[in-house]
Amino acid sequence: MVVRQETHPGAGVPTAPAEFTAAVAGLRTARLRPEVLCEEMPAPQRIAPWSSALSADVTVDDTDVATGRIILLHDPEGNDAWGGTFRCVAYARAEIEVDLVSDPLLAGVGWSWLTDALDAHGAAYSHQSGTVTRVATEAFGSMSEEGGTAQIEVRASWTPALGDDGVPDTAPHVEAWGELLCTAAGLEPVPDGVAVLPSRRGQRGAR
C-alpha cells in the first residue's frame, strides 16, 4: 500500500518531519480483512501542513457494500482543537436495511462500531468527535419497482496517542477504521484466534 504525503503549495518542497514520516510508515503495516480493497487517495492540503490519505471499498461477491476513507493530519505546531499534533479523520458509508432507518438506536450503535473497533485494536485516542447520519431514498414513478434504499454514514475524528518517541502507532487506527467499514457492511466478525490476512492493496481493478 503506497501512501501519498501532501503539503501546502509553496516555494520548494519542504522535508517532511521525521515524526510524520514514521507515522505514515505505520499506515503501511495495517492488516485489513481480504474483503477490503485499500488504496491511496489525494489528501486535503488546507487542513494541516502535512497529511496522508487512504480510501477503501468493502467488496463481497464482486459487489461494493461499503466505502470510506481515513486521513492522517499532522501539524508540528500543535492544534488546540485536536489536543495534539496528529489527527485522524475517518468516513464510512454502507447500505443498510430500509427498516433500520427508523430505529432510534441506530445512530448510537453506529458510533459504537467505531469506538469498539478502536478499543479492540488497542488504538489509544482522545478528543473524539463525529456524526452518524442515516439516509433513506424512496423511488417513484417508473422507478417505483426498484424499491427504496437506505445508508448509514459515520464521520469521525480523533487524536491518536503518541508513543514515547512522539509518534503515534497508526496501524491500529487504520485497522479499526477497516473494521468499522466491515461492521457497517454487515460482515460477521472474524472469530478469535483466526488470523486476518492482508487486504488487497493497490490500484482498483487489480484482483
Side-chain angles (χ1 to χ4, degrees):
M1 176 171 61
V2 178
V3 182
R4 177 176 298 171
Q5 302 177 13
E6 302 284 354
T7 65
H8 285 307
V13 179
T15 301
E19 294 81 3
F20 177 71
T21 300
V24 170
L27 299 177
R28 302 189 180 105
T29 67
R31 297 177 66 85
L32 305 175
R33 290 176 55 157
E35 298 92 346
V36 181
L37 173 61
C38 187
E39 58 189 0
E40 68 173 290
M41 65 171 286
Q45 300 183 15
R46 300 185 182 279
I47 303 177
W50 299 92
S51 58
S52 288
L54 302 172
S55 66
D57 289 322
V58 178
T59 305
V60 178
D61 296 330
D62 295 324
T63 300
D64 290 344
V65 293
T67 188
R69 59 182 176 268
I70 187 168
I71 304 166
L72 177 67
L73 304 174
H74 178 51
D75 185 343
E77 299 299 321
N79 186 306
D80 290 341
W82 301 354
T85 57
F86 284 89
R87 188 74 170 172
C88 293
V89 180
Y91 168 75
R93 185 183 75 236
E95 298 285 336
I96 59 173
E97 297 294 333
V98 175
D99 56 359
L100 290 177
V101 171
S102 59
D103 188 336
L105 301 179
L106 179 62
V109 170
W111 184 254
S112 72
W113 292 340
L114 171 64
T115 56
D116 288 351
L118 288 167
D119 293 340
H121 287 272
Y125 64 97
S126 65
H127 295 77
Q128 65 273 24
S129 64
T131 62
V132 178
T133 304
R134 41 197 168 181
V135 180
T137 302
E138 188 172 353
F140 296 94
S142 61
M143 299 178 61
S144 59
E145 294 183 358
E146 298 180 8
T149 61
Q151 297 177 330
I152 185 171
E153 296 181 352
V154 180
R155 298 175 183 269
S157 63
W158 62 91
T159 299
L162 303 182
D164 293 338
D165 57 356
V167 178
D169 182 5
T170 51
H173 297 271
V174 175
E175 291 167 356
W177 163 70
E179 183 174 328
L180 166 65
L181 288 171
C182 292
T183 302
L187 273 62
E188 293 292 331
V190 176
D192 290 340
V194 176
V196 177
L197 299 175
S199 71
R200 294 163 292 147
R201 301 167 190 260
Q203 296 300 316
R204 186 164 306 285
R207 302 288 183 179

